Amino acid sequence: MKRLTLFIFLISVCFTNLLSLPIRKDLNENWKFKQVRGYNWYPATVPGVVHTDLLANKIIDDPFFRLNERGMQWIDKEDWLYETTFDADENILQKGNIVLRFDGLDTYADVSLNGTKILSADNMFREWTVNVKSLLKAIDNKLEVHFHSPIKIAMPMWEAIPFRYQASNDQSENGGVFDRQVSIFTRKAGYHYGWDWGPRLVTSGIWRPVYLEAWNEARIENMFYRQVHVEKEKASIDAIVEISADKNTSASVFVLNHTDKRMEAKKQISLKKGLNIVHLTFEMKKPKLWWSNGLGEPFLYDFSTLLSVNNTELDKKSLKLGVRSLKVIMNPDQYGETFYFELNGVPVFAKGANYIPCDNFLTRVTDSIYEKTILDAVNANMNMLRVWGGGIYENDIFYDLCDKYGIMIWQDFMFGCSMYPAEGQLLENIRLEAIDNVRRLRNHACIGLWAGNNECMDAWFNWGWKREMERLNPEYADTMWKQFKAQYFETLPIVVEQYAPGVCYRPSSPYTDEKGSRINTTGDMHFWTVWQGAEPLAGFERQTARFMSEYGFQSFPEYQSVKKYAPESGDWAVTSEVMMSHQRGGMNANNRINDFIMKEYREPKDFESFTYMSQLVQADAMKMAMETHRRTMPFCMGSLVWQHNDCWPVASWSSRDYYGRWKAQHYFTVKSFADVLISPIEEDGELRIYAISDRLQATSGRLLIQTVDLNTGIIAQQEEQINIPANTSALVWEKQTAQFLNGRNRNDVVVHIEFTDQNGKTYENNRFLDLNKNLRYTNAQITHTTTSVNGGYELSLTSDKFARGVFISLNGKDQFVSDNYMDLIPEKTVKVKVTTALNSSDFEKNLKIVSFVDAHD
């Protein structure tokens, strides 16, 4: 009762002492910019980057349109000046402390206030704070930010080194700087220099908020809720508060749980001038735990920390806290070593994707784009995203949404597919970058793992980089490896342990030993043998590992998406100049997609059919991989497909295109990552059916296996009652394939499986017994009826014959279909919802329904 009374009192204090609290003044207005060597000023948007400001002022055209990227390469070789003026009112000026804060400067920037240089920035990923009290005026403060060309700054560094650091995805030729891959010298998003799915558009700008902060006496600099031990019955938490004080003084600190209307902890302290570290430990009895998507509610508590001096509240920090235990379990077993995430004591099969930034121009990514991106993962039954190491440490809202929706995060540090000169000033810069971001993200329930880099270790040993260095520059090979170890085996793990103790750190993904061994019985694996080695798609059914953190297959965006960035009919060819420019996976990548189609499917009749067919191939391939990984549970405990999204319109490995349209793969993922998967596979002449369940309780129900003639429909079926154990994979049915064909040829039938659980929920799957090009599909007559429903229309679809990959669209009109690219069993009705604003007449006029047989001659 006393704690509740004090809680109510403290809440009232929050409203009566507002004048004593810190003040923030955003400086996002009245900005202008110009080329340093130019004369003309133009309006600028902050946060923003040079490219978006040039585009807004109609100085450049859309860099993503057709071949326009080529004409943008001059921008990164210029210096740019940004300037604004602002006033500071008396409430700010009277405060004892006033700082100017930049949450992000991209990248080399000199900052001046009222003619005095106050800051030189050299890292896109760091936060910058400067004391400006002595420089600030009441009116007409002039703030200038001079951005230096990242290319011109790094070029002398490249020229000064007598050997070359590998940077496999730096598209230096596209940037007009020949073989000078300078990206590794600059702490900036690697993908800005190009990647095998992205353009080269090297930005500069004030890419995150800039603002003044003013306060008196003392303030809370940082708050860390270290979850020391969490279980169902109680959670032990150490609230670590960092407080800066102007002088020695007495103070009080309170930790408030607003959700339960309870004060969790309080402490009377003696502050010393400077930085103070205060620990407030408390226990929560039977806390409501945070769970990942599919396992339970991702519950978040509302917490705040209050600092008061002489009964006056000086500062308050609030956040949403998910109480959970999230570990990576790596224990020896009969195969090698386990690798899985354990959430609140439960082993979790990680189902998800690799995430890249949503745009090359980061400030265009709105809150609504972030939310759709995360919800598209949630709605595909994912529970994890890997924030890949060539992009950025994402904005706070990204992690807020992952906390909210139960998406666990595998977080890379921002290093990928390169070797870096990690020593001296650069290594210290990296260390400070790591501290800034580990501290910023450590309270998020979603963060499960930090990885030092993407593929750098594997590249050194297995891509020939080590051999190349030993052959060309043997005296420097040891230097490069020494820098590598200093970065990933010393500096970064120390930062994680110091600032986020208890969180798993891995030096690299995938992780090899120091001999470069790729072992599928230990750690995580990146599997690219099918795509890069052009092996048959069935290769995805032969490879598994303890944790598959990358694998993928390319496709084109939907035809209507292609028409947005390439509206001219002359561009609509696999090897047209525009299609080749919007393909960064190598000169042969588009032809590789076509080769897979020709080998295992059928020749598309036109370019629109090619885009459709490419998506069907990608979806089938990733379905094979996902089901294989889940069938081998618990040996394999993670499946993260490459990749969730795109940063520009392109042919790539994504399951959602740049415009947010779901590809066939994303629709297939919904079923492949469902809480229950019924997965058939043919092995040793037998058709075997596995049941995989993420449920934490055993389940049972009816298994229905049907042999479906592609022309006439169901010709045989069998039913069984089965039991499915909790949180694992189990073989539940097997039979000689020949016995199940009922006299038909393998290319005349498909096996259709349904499982209906005790609550009436049905899960379906199909198994083809031959390549799609050999299956004897015939023209299917697909009929539909339309019913108006809230937000759009319900379509009831029926086919007279088996219809493969039925694709529903509205002739380029905005829409979302609840299920798409589905297979229709003869005479079996399937209902889907089409979300659209079209009236009924326009809906029917624009409705287009096609299947596999419509896409080839």
Side-chain angles (χ1 to χ4, degrees), residues 567-815:
E568 299 180 14
S569 59
D571 297 335
W572 303 338
V574 175
T575 57
S576 73
E577 190 174 14
V578 170
M579 291 305 112
M580 294 296 283
S581 181
H582 286 257
Q583 164 62 269
R584 295 304 164 92
M587 291 297 294
N588 295 318
N590 283 352
N591 282 328
R592 188 177 303 164
I593 297 171
N594 193 56
D595 288 346
F596 273 103
I597 293 173
M598 297 295 288
K599 287 178 184 177
E600 302 200 24
Y601 290 73
R602 294 184 185 173
E603 183 176 5
K605 65 182 182 182
D606 53 28
F607 180 73
E608 181 177 2
S609 299
F610 168 81
T611 63
Y612 158 83
M613 198 84 79
S614 77
Q615 291 201 19
L616 196 59
V617 175
Q618 179 195 39
D620 282 344
M622 295 302 91
K623 177 178 182 289
M624 291 180 192
M626 292 172 186
E627 291 195 18
T628 299
H629 304 158
R630 295 190 71 189
R631 277 197 307 272
T632 54
M633 178 186 183
F635 174 84
C636 177
M637 285 296 287
S639 181
L640 306 182
V641 68
W642 185 272
Q643 66 206 64
H644 187 52
N645 56 320
D646 280 322
C647 65
W648 80 313
V650 64
S652 80
W653 297 271
S654 71
S655 65
R656 304 159 57 258
D657 69 27
Y658 172 71
Y659 305 105
R661 287 192 170 110
W662 286 22
K663 295 183 181 180
Q665 177 190 316
H666 211 75
Y667 284 101
F668 281 31
T669 301
V670 174
K671 299 168 186 175
S672 295
F673 279 170
D675 63 333
V676 173
L677 169 67
I678 303 301
S679 179
I681 186 170
E682 192 175 15
E683 298 174 318
D684 302 324
E686 289 187 333
L687 182 67
R688 296 171 179 168
I689 299 176
Y690 290 79
I692 304 95
S693 175
D694 292 332
R695 297 179 182 179
L696 302 185
Q697 301 293 328
T699 190
S700 61
R702 180 187 67 122
L703 181 68
L704 174 66
I705 308 104
Q706 297 177 324
T707 305
V708 180
D709 185 285
L710 297 175
N711 287 301
T712 61
I714 300 167
I715 56 174
Q717 69 178 34
Q718 181 175 338
E719 290 187 29
E720 285 195 18
Q721 286 294 124
I722 62 169
N723 296 311
I724 303 175
N727 204 24
T728 194
S729 170
L731 177 65
V732 295
W733 188 91
E734 58 185 331
K735 189 173 184 178
Q736 288 291 320
T737 306
Q739 297 177 18
F740 205 68
L741 288 174
N742 207 34
R744 301 298 205 276
N745 293 321
R746 297 171 63 89
N747 57 0
D748 285 327
V749 300
V750 59
V751 180
H752 177 70
I753 303 104
E754 295 182 7
F755 170 72
T756 303
D757 69 12
Q758 61 265 48
N759 296 318
K761 186 172 182 179
T762 299
Y763 301 82
E764 301 183 14
N765 209 340
N766 292 327
R767 180 72 190 185
F768 301 100
L769 303 178
D770 205 339
L771 297 179
N772 270 267
K773 72 174 183 179
N774 298 329
L775 293 173
R776 289 193 268 212
Y777 300 120
T778 57
N779 291 327
Q781 183 67 37
I782 301 172
T783 58
H784 75 276
T785 59
T786 304
T787 305
S788 293
V789 295
N790 185 34
Y793 303 91
E794 182 181 80
L795 285 181
S796 297
L797 303 171
T798 308
S799 179
D800 61 337
K801 296 180 174 61
F802 183 87
R804 177 84 230 270
V806 176
F807 173 49
I808 301 164
S809 62
L810 290 178
N811 196 30
K813 304 295 189 295
D814 288 338
Q815 44 79 26

Side-chain angles (χ1 to χ4, degrees), residues 277-292:
I277 309 296
V278 180
H279 291 257
L280 293 89
T281 60
F282 60 94
E283 287 189 352
M284 300 175 66
K285 302 296 184 183
K286 295 187 177 180
K288 196 166 184 181
L289 299 179
W290 183 91
W291 290 96
S292 61

Side-chain angles (χ1 to χ4, degrees), residues 51 55 60-75 199-201 361 565 568 577-578 581-582 584 648:
H51 291 73
L55 184 61
I60 62 172
D61 294 324
D62 179 4
F64 293 173
F65 186 76
R66 299 193 75 245
L67 303 173
N68 285 352
E69 174 208 359
R70 297 176 180 178
M72 307 296 157
Q73 299 309 311
W74 62 275
I75 299 170
R200 183 183 174 93
L201 294 164
F361 307 125
Y565 65 89
E568 299 180 14
E577 190 174 14
V578 170
S581 181
H582 286 257
R584 295 304 164 92
W648 80 313

